[in-house]
Amino acid sequence: MSRFFSGKYSELEAYTPGEQPQDRKYLKLNTNESPFPTSPKAMKTVENVRPLQLYSDPQCGIIRDKLAEVYGVDRDEIIAVNGSDELLNFTIMAFADEEHPLAFPDITYGFYPVFAALNHVPFEEIPLTEDFKINVDDYKGINKNIIIANPNAPTGIALPLSDIETILKTNPDNVILIDEAYVDFGAESAVGLIHKYDNLIVAQTFSKSRSFAGARLGMGFACRELINDLNTIRFSTNPYNVNSCSMYLGTAILDDEEYTKANCLEIIKNREYTVQQLREMGFEVTDSSANFIFARTPDMDGGELYRKLKDEGVLVRHFFKKERICQYNRISIGTREQMEAFLAAVRKIMGE
Ligand SMILES: *Cc1c(COP(=O)(O)O)cnc(C)c1O
């Protein structure tokens, strides 16, 4: 820390992204990226990107119009963002403060507490049940702004829409953000509820199901008033938050929905296969509706398995700092060949 770093951040513990080591070639199953290339049809249209000497469109017109068409909502109910992480930050900046603290599960996406701390917003971490589920009673009428990842990370467990509606109804004076980064792999989306609840924001991303993580493109759906407030924050931080390449190619990706859907089905198939194989080896695996699985074995410490897999050239995500889940590893689902290679490495390690 330099002597110039503001004291208001002295306690801040920054988010640690999944490792991207360059020392050797790894089978990367640690950051939930798609194993499939970005839509080749979309990539062929790259010459049509708005000339890069011009600023990107601050209204994000083309992508919002296309999203409106695909998701059946109005363009005024959409905000485009530089990855959905940006929307999480905008939401906390716009709606949370000392009087409107945050609540989210104790086991969830690690960025929520970081954004809360960055913005000096108090937060409560509500414990998941013993089997890592959300008990909706814990969220009834708590009078806090709530963030829920659905499916949750890193457990992959999905929450039914009826439970989300209960949370929305019993906290009418608070903003509820549903983070649907993984919704395309098997959970029910809450986007359709934005017309029914004026306190709902749904965050989605192109990073996982649409093979576009490096382009940083995400979107939020909510009623006009909430979108307006989010835009006040967006125009006060970075009006050109979405670059022209990502905006144009993202729109072209939405013209190729069959490709996205086929890739999601393939991931789901590979997930079910991998879960079944691991369970046969005695692993405990949560029921995942995402493009990753969350597993432990009674036969080896979770951190040790992570290290041995790394020695074998397989990267998975291990959460060393979180005591409740330190026996687990989170494994991204890749192609069938990648999962066979992963399973072969596990069999070798467990057989030793
Ligand atoms: C990956 C992920 C995001 C972030 O997605 P970006 O759009 O790449 O910023 C948000 N929430 C959860 C739960 C995620 O796992």
Side-chain angles (χ1 to χ4, degrees), residues 69-86:
E69 187 187 312
V70 171
Y71 284 82
V73 301
D74 198 274
R75 73 178 264 170
D76 297 339
E77 296 164 331
I78 300 169
I79 183 171
V81 285
N82 189 316
S84 56
D85 287 336
E86 187 179 57

Side-chain angles (χ1 to χ4, degrees), residues 83 111 158 306:
F111 228 136
Y306 158 82

